[in-house]
Amino acid sequence: MTGLLLRLAGPMQSWGDHSTFSVRDTAKVPTRSAMIGIIAAAQGFPRGKSLDDFAALRFTVRVDRPGTIMYDFHTVGGGLPTDRTVPTAEGKRRQAGAGTIVSRRFYLADAVFVVAVTGPEALIDEVHAGLSRPVWAPYLGRRSCPVEHPFLLCGPISDAAHHLDHLPLNRRRPVSNEDTVTVDFVTEEPSDDGAASRLTLNDVPVDLHPHRRRYRTRQVHITTRTLPADLCAGIGVGYLTALDEHLQGVRT
Amino acid sequence: MTARYLDIHLLQTIPYANLNRDDLGSPKSVRFGYADRTRVSSQCWKRAVRQEVETATGDVAKRTRRLPQAVQRRLIDRGWELDLATYAAGQVMATLTTMAVKADGFKVDKESGEAQVLFYLPERAFDELADICEQQRERLTGLQSGTVKVKKGDAPLPADAVRAALSRRNDVINLFGRMLAELPGTNVDGAVQVAHAFTTHATDPQVDFFTAVDDLKADADQIGSGHMNSAEFSTGTFYRYASVNLEDLVKNLGDQTTAVELTTAFLSAFITAMPQAKKNSTAPFTVPDLAYVAVRANRPVSLASAFEAPVRAPLDSGYAEPSRRQLAEYASRIYRLLGDRGLLYHGHASIDDKALEHLGDACQSFDSLVAAAVDHVRTQ
């Protein structure tokens, strides 16, 4: 088993796990379907192509910053003449002046996650090649939320999930003088330490074709662990420098 | 190495305005790097850009049932006899009928001469259909006089060419995709990604308490207003980012030359287009003070994280100038981290006298910057 480390950061992310249409919710952590979507798009998979190849991938998520939930009030088709409004299900048109479609789209603002993607060596090599030269650029759940760099932190390494204990944290050091901080980890297998809670997500992609999206549920385990407070490298340039130094060691 | 992605980054300072509101009328916001910022959503700025591109390229799509008349008029303009032109337009419809899922969809109403379906086509699709008739003029004359016969169910005109004309899309559809299925099977995936714009620094919405004077009350020597309310506004230096997937754009358009032209049109519009909200009461029509363009072989790179640590304004200057410096400094660090493999060209144009280090070529104007970047797409 080898693995990669991906950093998911940006002003806004949106990890839909159960809603479509007019209220579009976001999960609080990246979903499996989103991760597989990012990976498959980078490799140029057209919609509807089988995703079975990716079943062997395992994702471990470290929550650097949980972020806050915000929603975007989004309207479509307002102020247009009748013939340019959004068609109804019958194929008819809405009345001019009454054609606006309103949706509320939820986002996670200011969140940062680091994800360890692990799996068989040949598969991880393909995933790495795809993410290095993506056919379609990775984004954080919506195309309006491009990933921030560094996104792909390293090439294939052994024991990627273990690295999450040592990688600098993209958060401020707490003001208190404690020498540890608590960090949430999301794993697909129950972990043997820390306080765990279980969460069911409907996010195992069976088919991502827009006309027949189907998912299965999976259980994830959320474990709160303590890590040294020295890992908190702040934000911006200070964090980049700390990350760079740490990765020099990983790459060699 | 081939150019696969073209990124554009802008810093634009916007005075007292409310370009994009939520359902409560407040400027939209986002929290980033522990600080609240003002935000303009991607869909909001994209709409302004879309309209600008349509105006600039003059490539307007038309929605009409009057396809036969459109073809007929073009043929008459080219000196055809009315009879033959009308007949030719009818044969275009007959050709469509042979490939339709439901044959009566393309039936033409005898009285109005209109088709049953509503077409949604760029102007040049009509020209193309007229060109096909032009090429087939002899055959059409033969068909009309009965010297040439068509088997029942066969298409009188080359079906593939007619089908190609009907699947034409206009520039805006090729850039941003077609989110509404105007005709079945004509969905288009956009080639441009636009991020939400946000301020490089923390902002607080500013409340404007206003009253409206009742003129007649004042004449009657009474005091008090006719109406009072409050509205929210915000100001700030915005970071704006978009990325063009050049391969997707070429795929959507079918050829490299048009893709280069359209990329140029998009970049120019992205630099200058402004959302129109509250324009009459705020007139916030500024232009960006920095544009930075990068042509890449591997992957797009957004620089939003340059402002994760919110810009602080020193006592003697605002946010715009430190934002430009912070962007340049962050770019240099992130490029060191990524390595500069895959960066084929980058350049910038800004209001500073001195070129910004780490942001590539210093160009004199937005136009020359766009031209230089697009040249690197072309030469690949």
Side-chain angles (χ1 to χ4, degrees):
Chain A
M1 297 285 272
T2 57
L4 302 169
L5 295 174
L6 303 181
R7 176 173 164 268
L8 304 177
M12 290 154 75
Q13 326 192 0
S14 185
W15 311 110
D17 68 332
H18 66 275
S19 51
T20 49
F21 306 118
S22 59
V23 177
R24 303 187 179 191
D25 217 340
T26 174
K28 290 187 175 173
V29 290
T31 53
R32 186 177 169 93
S33 48
M35 295 310 302
I36 286 177
I38 288 172
I39 288 166
Q43 292 187 18
F45 273 47
R47 292 194 184 106
K49 186 172 170 183
S50 162
L51 302 167
D52 297 351
D53 299 4
F54 302 114
L57 292 177
R58 289 290 166 269
F59 299 100
T60 307
V61 180
R62 184 182 81 175
V63 183
D64 282 29
R65 299 214 298 270
T68 50
I69 299 245
M70 57 170 271
Y71 82 83
D72 186 38
F73 177 76
H74 190 136
T75 66
V76 180
L80 296 172
T82 307
D83 65 348
R84 289 186 60 190
T85 56
V86 184
T88 62
E90 282 181 302
K92 297 195 173 122
R93 296 280 170 181
R94 293 170 163 80
Q95 279 180 338
T100 311
I101 292 179
V102 173
S103 61
R104 284 190 170 76
R105 304 178 180 204
F106 287 80
Y107 293 85
L108 278 181
D110 206 22
V112 178
F113 305 97
V114 180
V115 183
V117 186
T118 48
E121 199 165 333
L123 177 59
I124 291 293
D125 285 344
E126 277 173 27
V127 171
H128 180 256
L131 292 172
S132 310
R133 290 188 87 252
V135 174
W136 289 299
Y139 53 83
L140 306 167
R142 293 245 169 87
R143 282 190 82 191
S144 58
C145 308
V147 298
E148 285 303 309
H149 293 277
F151 159 68
L152 179 57
L153 296 184
C154 59
I157 50 174
S158 56
D159 220 0
H162 173 74
H163 269 288
L164 296 178
D165 293 355
H166 307 288
L167 200 73
L169 279 160
N170 198 177
R171 64 162 81 164
R172 283 188 189 147
R173 193 180 176 129
V175 191
S176 65
N177 281 332
E178 315 236 333
D179 29 12
T180 58
V181 287
T182 54
V183 183
D184 284 352
F185 284 76
V186 184
T187 52
E188 299 183 287
E189 273 83 35
S191 83
D192 38 18
D193 62 335
S197 62
R198 276 190 319 196
L199 183 68
T200 302
L201 291 168
N202 185 35
D203 69 345
V204 180
V206 178
D207 191 341
L208 291 178
H209 189 281
H211 295 172
R212 39 165 211 269
R213 283 181 199 279
R214 286 192 304 127
Y215 306 94
R216 284 198 319 273
T217 55
R218 67 171 176 146
Q219 293 239 317
V220 295
H221 302 266
I222 300 177
T223 315
T224 306
R225 296 168 50 193
T226 49
L227 293 180
D230 288 347
L231 286 183
C232 299
I235 59 175
V237 169
Y239 166 75
L240 271 192
T241 313
L243 183 71
D244 194 15
E245 275 171 21
H246 178 83
L247 290 177
Q248 302 281 2
V250 174
R251 291 193 189 111
T252 49
Chain B
M1 290 211 274
T2 340
R4 294 171 64 232
Y5 292 100
L6 191 148
D7 292 341
I8 177 163
H9 314 256
L10 302 173
L11 285 174
Q12 182 168 2
T13 302
I14 300 206
Y16 199 65
N18 184 352
L19 295 181
N20 186 209
R21 299 167 254 198
D22 65 11
D23 44 344
L24 307 172
S26 318
K28 285 185 173 181
S29 63
V30 61
R31 193 169 175 79
F32 187 39
Y34 302 104
D36 288 326
R37 328 289 184 98
T38 301
R39 171 172 64 95
V40 176
S41 70
S42 88
Q43 61 269 18
C44 169
W45 222 305
K46 226 169 9 182
R47 183 168 193 265
V49 173
R50 258 205 316 264
Q51 290 171 323
E52 187 131 333
V53 169
E54 274 199 345
T55 316
T57 58
D59 181 15
V60 180
K62 288 274 196 292
R63 194 187 302 275
T64 180
R65 291 182 199 277
R66 316 194 64 164
L67 181 71
Q69 287 93 327
V71 175
Q72 177 199 18
R73 203 191 62 235
R74 279 169 176 72
L75 292 174
I76 290 172
D77 289 348
R78 298 179 189 192
W80 284 42
E81 302 276 311
L82 173 67
D83 259 11
L84 187 58
T86 314
Y87 179 78
Q91 294 310 297
V92 169
M93 298 308 289
T95 307
L96 285 173
T97 309
T98 60
M99 52 187 155
V101 184
K102 291 209 327 243
D104 58 359
F106 294 113
K107 267 218 185 94
V108 177
D109 184 278
K110 284 220 165 56
E111 267 179 48
S112 65
E114 293 179 357
Q116 285 210 345
V117 287
L118 192 59
F119 294 91
Y120 182 48
L121 294 167
E123 290 269 17
R124 60 199 151 88
F126 301 132
D127 299 337
E128 217 168 309
L129 289 169
D131 292 344
I132 295 169
C133 295
E134 193 83 71
Q135 284 154 12
Q136 302 287 326
R137 186 170 182 157
E138 247 172 80
R139 183 177 157 79
L140 284 164
T141 317
L143 282 168
Q144 194 187 14
S145 61
T147 51
V148 181
K149 287 271 187 286
V150 182
K151 275 216 282 299
K152 201 169 159 54
D154 277 1
L157 292 169
D160 287 348
V162 172
R163 183 193 296 273
L166 268 236
S167 55
R168 286 283 166 262
R169 318 184 287 222
N170 80 332
D171 291 346
V172 160
I173 295 168
N174 282 314
L175 277 171
F176 297 108
R178 183 150 35 188
M179 286 184 280
L180 313 175
E182 306 296 344
L183 291 166
T186 54
N187 263 330
V188 183
D189 278 323
V192 176
Q193 270 181 280
V194 181
H196 293 248
F198 63 94
T199 54
T200 61
H201 49 90
T203 58
D204 292 316
Q206 299 160 46
V207 178
D208 174 35
F209 169 79
F210 65 90
T211 62
V213 177
D214 187 322
D215 290 336
L216 294 188
K217 245 188 185 173
D219 291 348
D221 235 8
Q222 290 180 350
I223 42 173
S225 71
H227 169 73
M228 61 185 186
N229 203 343
S230 57
E232 286 182 51
F233 295 86
S234 178
T235 69
T237 298
F238 285 80
Y239 170 77
R240 299 170 50 203
Y241 168 78
S243 174
V244 183
N245 183 326
L246 298 163
E247 283 174 345
D248 277 357
L249 190 58
V250 172
K251 209 182 307 165
N252 281 355
L253 287 163
D255 78 290
Q256 176 85 22
T257 320
T258 324
V260 166
E261 279 169 26
L262 195 47
T263 304
T264 309
F266 166 72
L267 293 175
S268 308
F270 191 67
I271 291 169
T272 51
M274 276 286 271
Q276 300 294 297
K278 282 198 179 281
K279 63 179 178 190
N280 290 353
S281 52
T282 57
F285 309 130
T286 57
V287 284
D289 44 39
L290 167 72
Y292 169 55
V293 179
V295 180
R296 303 180 167 279
N298 292 346
R299 60 176 78 141
V301 176
S302 152
L303 296 172
S305 291
F307 307 107
E308 185 190 25
V311 173
R312 290 207 163 75
L315 290 175
D316 56 347
S317 93
Y319 292 112
E321 197 262 341
S323 297
R324 294 197 292 277
R325 273 188 287 118
Q326 195 159 310
L327 183 76
E329 189 194 348
Y330 182 85
S332 81
R333 284 173 189 263
I334 204 78
Y335 291 171
R336 201 190 61 219
L337 210 55
L338 283 173
D340 52 10
R341 273 177 317 120
L343 181 61
L344 302 177
Y345 170 82
H346 63 155
H348 68 281
S350 90
I351 57 169
D352 297 303
D353 296 333
K354 232 168 59 187
L356 285 157
E357 230 184 317
H358 315 300
L359 295 186
D361 281 359
C363 301
Q364 285 307 304
S365 68
F366 292 142
D367 283 352
S368 60
L369 170 66
V370 169
V374 168
D375 265 347
H376 284 262
V377 175
R378 196 182 283 120
T379 53
Q380 295 305 321

